[in-house]
């Protein structure tokens, strides 16, 4: 147990330099550009009553958009780009309101008598601004800057799902793999960073107010040191992401070689255990073939697809039913093979994405109940659920209740009387085991189904679509046969049983995804 | 510095109408002779402060002419004009984030004097307004009494060696003792330095004590102009007589007590 804790701690610490650097750079860039925009805008707006009300209203509306939504919205707004750009844009927008509002309020709050004295003495408008208005408004402006800093450093943890590494990686990954140490790590470091930056700004204000040059130099020095210390380690072994054009050229030069010698391949993964394990597995396979692998974990579900089609990532694992419903917007049930055929044609024609093949297992939505309770109520299939006469509660991830699978199931089996309760997928297995909900929309490969003695209800009318796990290649990756050849050994190699076991190793045995992937790799190559 | 001929300031048929249509000043003629103090008085809303602000172009006049040193103020650059004319306002016009030294040094610095000249001028002015530099120059306005603040206000207004000083209710916010001391000091400064002054005050007693000439305003017009003695002996109408009644009554009360 202690050894496990230690290795967990060591792994988390090893990730820290990159994540802290990413987080710090992202936050600082957003705040600096935020200041650059809002300060001049505030100065211009302050004497103009009507205009200042208008810009404040616009900034307030932006502020009311939840952080995660704003970040996610930036991805399609920037044409499907993921990573630094959408995260930066959203956080920068987020920093505007507090700085803008306090600049306007601070300047408008300067004593009119002092301003009249300044005019009467013969100060020009510019001199009045720099010598009177800004110095007197400074404490209020700095208060806004500090608010913005704390907000932005906090919200930057949400950059993880759009593909920008941040301290949020700890939180998202930790939540999904029930690694609470990782979650605490993310929270503590994000909070610590916010406090440190906040205090540094406060000291800068003190230095400016009391004209303490030495203090100003010291704090600026500390800030620069902090930033460099954060950036330099990641710069040393940093290979700049090449543009799609360069990468296409790179791949063109290599079409004749089977090995992936030094070729960079980026693997994307969504934010749950199975995805982490499979990403690790693909990393192992591709690294063995000589590729230089980069990973982008914890991407939002649709972000993975956007990133794949824009070529920001090269490889990802997705599920046929998910693509069918959320990408192709199809709601009718379809036969497994017909669906696969239609889908692979559509993906290639519409997006240039190649479906390399099925891994062999299916991770479907399955309605699961606690075994004893199912027996007591005499429920074995979805059809039985409608006639128990009990007020039953269904727990599921927030996505599922808006999807056609749930809607079709509900309507087909007459489950309209069931009460739905959305929760994070990590918690639903425990919730159904402990009787907090009666049914959950489980993922059929989850190790906890067997471990918690859950019964998956049958679907006699075939409403639930198949969810075959498939390997998908970006348009660029598809032009490199080496990638496909290396990954081909995974096709058909992992059955339901094997995947469930790998998931169980992480979710219940507390192994790391890397350890589970190593086990899986051995199983496959045996 | 002081040009020889003619009055410092001359106002001819000056009018001021605000954007909302309020006529604050409706045709005023005035002259301020070199080295003299003119008091503008009248009830609040009579237009005296508006008139004062037209002189250094804190407001722009609607009609008429204002000649400063023989030249129309509109021909002066507004910023340069304000730097040539001293400006003292009621109570709180000091910059709260500047020390006493920095407040007094604002104008000399704007005029581009070198650091040594500025330092010497600040010390000289602080002695003039009877504030010991070693004790007061590093204090902030919040650390001063009302009277001390107003002295700093005078020093700041006089820093650029102006020919003309404008005072807007400069003594109003002070207690009676301090007010009296500062009035005396200001008159001493004026006679020592020889500048001219226009002073807005609602206090007729103050005008009587300090001014060489008093202009009484009502509804944007001057109803009477003359020396304090002229006013006391021959008030032009009931309004002026009414304004004189307060200081008169105080005087009678004191005399009776002295009996």
């Amino acid at each position: 147990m202690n050894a496990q804790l230690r290795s967990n701690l060591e792994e988390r610490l090893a990730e820290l330099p990159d994540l802290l650097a990413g987080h710090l750079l992202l936050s600082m860039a957003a705040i600096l550009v935020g200041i650059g925009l809002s300060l001049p805008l505030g100065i211009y707006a302050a004497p103009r009553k009507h205009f200042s009300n208008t810009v404040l209203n616009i900034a307030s509306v932006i502020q009311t958009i939840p952080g995660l939504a704003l970040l996610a919205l930036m991805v399609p707004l920037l044409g499907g780009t993921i990573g630094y750009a959408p995260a930066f844009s959203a956080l920068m927008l987020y920093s505007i309101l507090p700085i803008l509002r306090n600049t306007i309020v601070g300047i408008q709050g300067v004593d009119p008598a002092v301003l009249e004295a300044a005019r009467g003495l013969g100060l020009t408008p510019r001199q009045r601004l720099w010598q009177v208005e800004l110095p007197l408004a400074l404490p209020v402006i700095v208060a806004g800057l500090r608010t913005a800093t704390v907000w932005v450093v906090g919200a930057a943890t949400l950059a993880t799902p759009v593909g920008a590494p941040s301290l949020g990686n700890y939180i998202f990954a930790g939540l999904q793999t029930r690694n609470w140490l990782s979650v605490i790590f993310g929270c503590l470091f994000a909070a610590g960073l916010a406090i440190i930056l906040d205090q540094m700004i406060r000291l800068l204000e003190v230095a400016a107010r009391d004209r303490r040059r030495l203090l100003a130099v010291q704090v600026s020095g500390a800030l620069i040191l902090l930033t460099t210390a954060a950036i330099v380690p990641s710069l040393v072994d940093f290979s700049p992401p090449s543009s799609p054009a360069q990468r296409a050229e790179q791949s063109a030069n290599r079409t004749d070689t089977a090995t992936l010698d030094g070729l960079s391949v980026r693997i994307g993964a969504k934010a749950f255990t199975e995805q982490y394990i499979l990403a690790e597995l693909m990393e192992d396979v591709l690294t063995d073939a000589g590729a230089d692998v980069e990973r982008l974990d914890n991407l939002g579900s649709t972000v993975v697809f956007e990133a794949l089609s824009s070529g920001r990532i090269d490889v990802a694992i997705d599920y046929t039913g998910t693509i069918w419903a959320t990408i192709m917007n199809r709601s009718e049930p379809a036969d497994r093979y017909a669906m696969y055929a239609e889908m692979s044609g559509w993906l290639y024609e519409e997006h240039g994405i190649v479906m390399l093949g099925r891994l062999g297992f299916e991770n479907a939505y399955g309605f699961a109940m606690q075994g004893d309770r199912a027996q007591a109520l005499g429920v074995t299939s979805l059809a039985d659920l409608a006639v128990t006469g009990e007020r039953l509660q269904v727990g599921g991830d927030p996505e599922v209740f808006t999807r056609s699978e749930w809607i079709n199931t509900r309507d087909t089996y007459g489950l309209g009387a069931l009460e739905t309760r959305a929760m994070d997928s990590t918690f639903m297995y425990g919730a159904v085991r402990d009787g907090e909900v009666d049914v959950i929309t489980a993922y059929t490969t989850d190790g906890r189904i067997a471990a918690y003695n859950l019964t998956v209800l049958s679907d006699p009318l075939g409403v639930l679509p198949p969810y075959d796990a498939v390997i998908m290649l970006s348009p660029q990756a598809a032009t490199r046969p080496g990638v496909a050849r290396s990954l081909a050994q995974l096709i058909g190699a992992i059955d339901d049983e094997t995947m469930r076991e790998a998931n169980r190793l992480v979710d219940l045995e507390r192994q790391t995804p890397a350890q589970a992937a190593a086990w899986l790799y051995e199983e496959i190559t045996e | 510095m002081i040009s020889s001929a003619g009055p410092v300031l001359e106002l001819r048929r000056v009018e001021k109408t605000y954007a909302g249509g309020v006529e604050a000043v409706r045709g005023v003629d005035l002259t301020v002779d070199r080295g003299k103090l003119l008091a503008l008085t009248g009830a609040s809303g009579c237009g005296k402060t508006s008139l004062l602000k037209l002189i250094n172009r804190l407001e722009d006049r609607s009609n008429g002419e204002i000649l400063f040193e023989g030249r129309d103020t509109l021909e002066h650059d507004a910023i340069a004009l304000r730097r040539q004319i001293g400006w003292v306002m009621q109570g709180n016009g000091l910059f709260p984030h500047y020390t006493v030294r920095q407040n007094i040094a604002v104008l000399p610095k704007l005029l581009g004097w070198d650091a040594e000249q500025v330092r010497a001028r600040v010390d000289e002015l602080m002695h003039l307004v009877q504030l010991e530099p070693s004790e007061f120059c590093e204090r902030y306005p919040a650390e001063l009494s009302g009277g001390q603040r107003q002295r700093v206000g005078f020093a700041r207004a006089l820093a650029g060696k102006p020919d003309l000083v404008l005072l807007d209710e400069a003594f109003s916010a002070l207690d009676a003792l301090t007010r009296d001391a500062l009035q005396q000091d200001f008159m001493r400064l004026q006679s020592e330095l020889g500048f001219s002054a226009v002073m807005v005050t609602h206090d007729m007693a103050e005008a009587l004590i300090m001014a060489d000439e008093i202009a009484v305003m009502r509804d944007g017009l001057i109803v009477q102009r003359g020396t304090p003695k002229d006013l006391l002996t021959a008030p032009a109408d009931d309004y002026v007589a009414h304004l004189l009644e307060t200081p008169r009554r105080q005087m009678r009360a004191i005399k009776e007590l002295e009996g």
Side-chain angles (χ1 to χ4, degrees), chain B residues 18-136:
Chain B
Y18 285 103
V22 179
E23 298 175 64
V25 180
R26 306 191 292 158
V28 164
D29 293 283
L30 273 179
T31 332
V32 179
D33 289 323
R34 217 157 281 284
K36 301 292 184 193
L37 195 158
L38 170 79
L40 287 173
T41 190
S44 50
C46 70
K48 55 190 190 296
T49 297
S50 297
L51 184 60
L52 192 74
K53 287 180 179 173
L54 297 181
I55 297 171
N56 68 349
R57 291 184 57 191
L58 281 177
E59 305 274 1
D60 284 321
R61 63 177 187 259
S62 312
N63 261 314
E65 287 180 324
I66 300 179
L67 304 180
F68 173 64
E69 300 287 13
R71 251 175 86 212
D72 195 305
T73 53
L74 292 182
E75 291 169 24
H76 291 78
D77 172 64
I79 298 292
L81 180 75
R82 289 179 203 147
R83 291 178 183 178
Q84 283 176 59
I85 298 178
W87 172 258
V88 187
M89 56 193 293
Q90 179 180 333
N92 47 4
L94 296 183
F95 297 158
H97 57 303
Y98 279 8
T99 61
V100 168
R101 178 176 290 284
Q102 290 167 333
N103 263 291
I104 300 175
V106 167
L107 190 55
K109 278 187 177 164
L110 290 179
L111 294 173
W113 299 9
D114 69 46
E116 198 38 55
Q117 273 178 300
V118 173
R119 168 168 288 276
R121 180 66 178 155
V122 171
D123 287 344
E124 181 189 357
L125 285 159
M126 289 189 72
H127 283 123
L128 269 177
V129 299
Q130 298 181 331
L131 289 171
E132 176 52 39
S134 61
E135 190 183 345
F136 291 100

Side-chain angles (χ1 to χ4, degrees), chain A residues 56 58 82 89 97 118 123 199 205-206 225 238 285 298 308-310 318 352 362 396 438 448 465 468 475 492 494 520:
Chain A
L56 277 181
I58 294 172
I82 63 156
S89 315
L97 178 70
L123 274 73
Q199 287 306 309
E205 185 200 4
V206 169
L225 206 69
F238 182 74
V285 168
N298 299 305
L308 203 59
S309 93
S310 68
D318 215 325
E362 179 188 17
D438 305 290
R448 284 167 287 193
D468 291 328
I494 308 170
L520 202 52

Side-chain angles (χ1 to χ4, degrees), chain A residues 222-391:
Chain A
L223 260 179
I224 292 167
L225 206 69
L226 183 70
T227 320
T228 355
I231 303 166
V232 167
S234 53
L235 276 186
V236 172
D237 52 18
F238 182 74
S239 44
S242 39
S243 74
Q246 284 172 320
R247 307 177 85 206
E249 193 182 310
Q250 222 176 4
S251 62
N253 292 341
R254 291 175 187 272
T255 41
D256 53 347
T257 55
T259 71
L260 295 168
D261 190 25
L263 190 75
S264 96
V265 178
R266 260 188 278 185
I267 301 172
K270 303 184 188 186
F272 52 89
T273 305
E274 182 171 293
Q275 287 274 320
Y276 302 141
I277 298 173
L278 293 173
E280 289 279 356
L281 178 63
M282 291 195 291
E283 178 175 356
D284 291 348
V285 168
L286 289 168
T287 309
D288 283 356
D292 187 6
V293 172
E294 253 186 87
R295 291 266 300 274
L296 275 173
D297 286 354
N298 299 305
L299 299 176
S301 182
T302 52
V303 169
V304 166
F305 187 83
E306 301 254 17
L308 203 59
S309 93
S310 68
R312 288 295 310 267
I313 58 173
D314 298 306
V315 194
I317 304 289
D318 215 325
Y319 306 91
T320 49
T322 304
I323 296 168
W324 186 255
T326 58
I327 309 294
M328 297 171 73
N329 286 318
R330 303 283 286 267
S331 58
E332 73 279 16
D335 165 73
R336 162 169 280 132
Y337 300 100
M339 180 193 270
Y340 185 87
E342 187 178 343
M343 189 177 297
S344 63
W346 185 86
L347 284 173
Y348 187 70
E349 276 162 28
E350 297 290 321
H351 297 279
I353 291 174
V354 169
M355 282 223 292
L356 194 58
R358 287 193 293 265
L359 289 172
F361 71 90
E362 179 188 17
N363 185 3
Y365 278 115
F367 288 77
M369 290 182 81
Q370 210 281 321
D372 296 338
R373 177 139 170 83
Q375 213 160 22
L377 291 172
V379 174
T380 57
S381 81
L382 284 166
D384 300 334
L385 272 185
V387 293
T388 56
E390 301 251 341
R391 280 183 60 89

Side-chain angles (χ1 to χ4, degrees), chain A residues 87-133:
Chain A
F88 164 78
S89 315
L91 292 173
M92 194 271 289
L93 284 176
Y94 233 42
S95 76
I96 287 181
L97 178 70
I99 305 175
L100 180 68
R101 182 186 51 207
N102 284 35
T103 304
I104 292 174
V105 169
I107 291 176
Q108 288 179 344
V110 173
D111 185 349
V114 172
L115 275 183
E116 177 162 279
R119 287 185 70 214
L121 275 174
L123 274 73
T124 63
R126 185 180 294 264
Q127 288 164 340
R128 289 202 292 273
L129 179 68
W130 286 102
Q131 296 182 25
V132 181
E133 289 172 293

